[in-house]
Amino acid sequence: MKIADAKVIVCSPGRNFVTLKLTTEDGITGLGDATLNGRELAVASYLQEHLVPLLIGRDARRIEETWHYLYKGAYWRRGPVTMTAIAAVDTALWDIQGKGLGVPVYQLLGGRARDSVMVYGHANGQDVAATVEAVARTVAAGYRAVRAQCGVPGLPDTYGVGHGKPGAIYEPAVKGMPSESVWSTEKYLEVVPKLFAKLRAELGPDLHLLHDVHHRLTPIEAARLGKELEPHHLFWLEDPVPAELQEGFRLIRQHTVTPLATGEVFSSIYDCQQLITEQLIDYIRTTVVHAGGLTHLRRIAHLAELHHVRTGAHGATDLSPVCLAAALHFDLSVHNFGIQEYMPHSAETDRVFPHGYRFSDGALHPGEAPGLGVEIDEALAATFPYDRAYLPTNRKLDGTVHSW
Ligand code: GCO
Ligand code: MG
């Protein structure tokens, strides 16, 4: 079953996506998400210029061998661009394998380890009261787990809080350039404990509540926040600090039992090996699209399983329906599954990427179609051309560049 064609499809149905489509000599197609938010064309070029020439003529069923061929063969290993490109190839090959054998990909990964995949939704508001109302609406929509983010008094905007218009939070002053945000740790640390005290008072003890710090604190600041949140029993506190310094989490761990999650920006097992083996985190957020595809993500999950760490894959709307479909096959089959992030895509995105996964009762299921159960409407995709866009940048009140 040789690969006969490889196509890199860049489109922008509401936001930019990069998709790899492989076709075998007998016409079986496979898709892989290759989207790296704000750096999309770097991956598209890596695929088109460097990987596509290597793929034509290869046996599509040699998934493990192809992974190592592309990883070790590059000489320059790891990193988000390389690993996202490899992820797209890997994901497309699993899709082809499933279609070729007539089974959904989760059956190739060991079959169901559970009946459905619990997801968490997003809720946010300009202040505590508005955020409590938004969380209540998300619960009413059927979610059993909700990430809550609220505005910070004294700051014009903050991560995770829109201005009512979908996507408004990232609206740049100059189109095609990064928007700018401002940050105050002091103001932020003042409001978050109040938010979760109010959420528990209004919504009770059972709802799974999550919060994303988004890489913005120092370890001792994160330790303080974790301690203050302990009475509210969060499901997790996400990205408390930038995680290049994996041992930085030791300091947080020494001070708080609030569960910790990190990893959405990681591109390989080496980015989280210490975090996992020292049990410095409780959930690993690595994704199919950015951590080398299903093949590598399974390695990360299996290492995590040995150390009581569960999965909690990233699932924002800048990861395409192709990634989400693949993630659900992974989530359904991996033993140490924790939770899956789910931000529904826009209607135009769903039209470009018709898929079989469905939400019900706070969970998603990938469906029973052979392969991943997702396709791309290339003609419709072509009507949404690439539109350069960046993730925001963030600065402290004195202008110092800070993690966004
Ligand atoms: C999350 C993430 C997103 C990221 C975005 C970057 O927890 O869903 O932190 O909000 O900022 O996916 O592209
Ligand atoms: Mg996050």
Side-chain angles (χ1 to χ4, degrees):
M1 187 191 283
K2 293 191 184 313
I3 297 169
D5 185 58
K7 189 183 291 183
V8 180
I9 302 165
V10 181
C11 64
S12 193
R15 56 144 305 105
N16 294 312
F17 293 110
V18 180
T19 307
L20 175 68
K21 180 176 182 178
L22 300 181
T23 306
T24 68
E25 60 196 343
D26 32 13
I28 299 176
T29 59
L31 295 182
D33 185 10
T35 306
L36 186 64
N37 196 355
R39 296 297 186 271
E40 295 86 357
L41 297 189
V43 182
S45 172
Y46 191 105
L47 283 166
Q48 190 64 59
E49 303 303 328
H50 302 298
L51 297 197
V52 165
L54 302 178
L55 294 172
I56 306 304
R58 287 189 64 81
D59 182 344
R61 291 165 301 187
R62 299 181 68 170
I63 299 175
E64 185 77 18
E65 196 262 350
T66 298
W67 196 95
H68 290 279
Y69 177 66
L70 299 181
Y71 179 77
K72 296 180 167 70
Y75 186 73
W76 313 106
R77 299 180 182 188
R78 301 163 65 184
V81 174
T82 299
M83 299 305 281
T84 298
I86 292 174
V89 175
D90 184 77
T91 306
L93 293 179
W94 281 104
D95 195 10
I96 288 169
Q97 193 87 295
K99 287 177 177 176
L101 296 170
V103 294
V105 166
Y106 75 80
Q107 294 289 20
L108 303 177
L109 304 178
R112 292 167 189 250
R114 56 194 55 78
D115 294 324
S116 62
V117 171
M118 181 170 76
V119 298
Y120 72 87
H122 284 200
N124 64 76
Q126 293 299 328
D127 55 31
V128 168
T131 307
V132 171
E133 286 169 14
V135 172
R137 286 195 300 274
T138 306
V139 172
Y143 289 85
R144 289 175 269 152
V146 184
R147 186 191 87 164
Q149 308 287 139
C150 80
V152 175
L155 297 181
D157 65 42
T158 195
Y159 164 74
V161 180
H163 299 276
K165 192 157 70 76
I169 187 174
Y170 301 162
E171 282 305 316
V174 177
K175 183 165 172 46
M177 295 298 286
S179 62
E180 292 262 341
S181 289
V182 290
W183 174 253
S184 160
T185 294
E186 295 74 15
K187 297 180 188 306
Y188 168 80
L189 289 176
E190 192 57 36
V191 69
V192 174
K194 290 175 184 164
L195 169 65
F196 286 93
K198 190 71 175 165
L199 283 166
R200 282 297 181 216
E202 298 289 324
L203 301 175
D206 299 332
L207 174 63
H208 294 309
L209 287 173
L210 303 86
H211 181 68
D212 192 347
V213 182
H214 220 253
H215 326 275
R216 300 184 178 200
L217 301 179
T218 63
I220 201 66
E221 291 165 347
R224 168 187 154 189
L225 179 60
K227 274 173 74 75
E228 290 185 30
L229 291 174
E230 282 178 3
H232 313 310
H233 304 131
L234 266 63
F235 185 89
W236 79 33
L237 188 65
E238 176 182 342
D239 285 332
V241 296
E244 293 94 323
L245 183 71
Q246 296 185 50
E247 70 220 39
F249 278 69
R250 288 179 188 150
L251 186 56
I252 309 170
R253 260 328 202 207
Q254 284 161 14
H255 292 278
T256 181
V257 297
T258 291
L260 303 176
T262 198
E264 66 181 56
V265 298
F266 293 170
S267 59
S268 85
I269 198 165
Y270 304 105
D271 294 329
C272 49
Q273 186 174 4
Q274 185 178 14
L275 286 166
I276 291 172
T277 54
E278 289 190 25
Q279 299 178 49
L280 299 178
I281 56 174
D282 302 281
Y283 297 90
I284 182 67
R285 298 247 311 131
T286 38
T287 68
V288 171
V289 60
H290 298 132
L294 287 165
T295 298
H296 196 61
L297 195 60
R298 298 174 81 202
R299 283 196 168 70
I300 294 171
H302 296 161
L303 175 67
E305 181 190 338
L306 299 181
H307 299 280
H308 303 294
V309 176
R310 285 175 283 179
T311 67
H314 183 201
T317 44
D318 52 280
L319 286 58
S320 89
V322 176
C323 175
L324 183 55
L328 293 173
H329 288 276
F330 168 75
D331 294 336
L332 200 60
S333 60
V334 71
H335 174 67
N336 53 320
F337 168 74
I339 198 166
Q340 169 67 49
E341 179 176 8
Y342 178 46
M343 282 179 78
H345 290 95
S346 67
E348 55 192 356
T349 296
D350 285 345
R351 282 196 300 276
V352 170
F353 296 97
H355 52 266
Y357 57 79
R358 291 287 177 268
F359 175 82
S360 72
D361 185 28
L364 279 172
H365 192 285
E368 297 297 332
L372 296 177
V374 59
E375 297 300 337
I376 185 168
D377 180 331
E378 291 185 59
L380 184 58
T383 66
F384 296 104
Y386 172 72
D387 182 19
R388 191 183 73 205
Y390 292 88
L391 280 163
T393 53
N394 194 21
R395 294 177 187 273
K396 294 180 182 175
L397 294 174
D398 68 1
T400 306
V401 174
H402 195 60
S403 300
W404 174 70

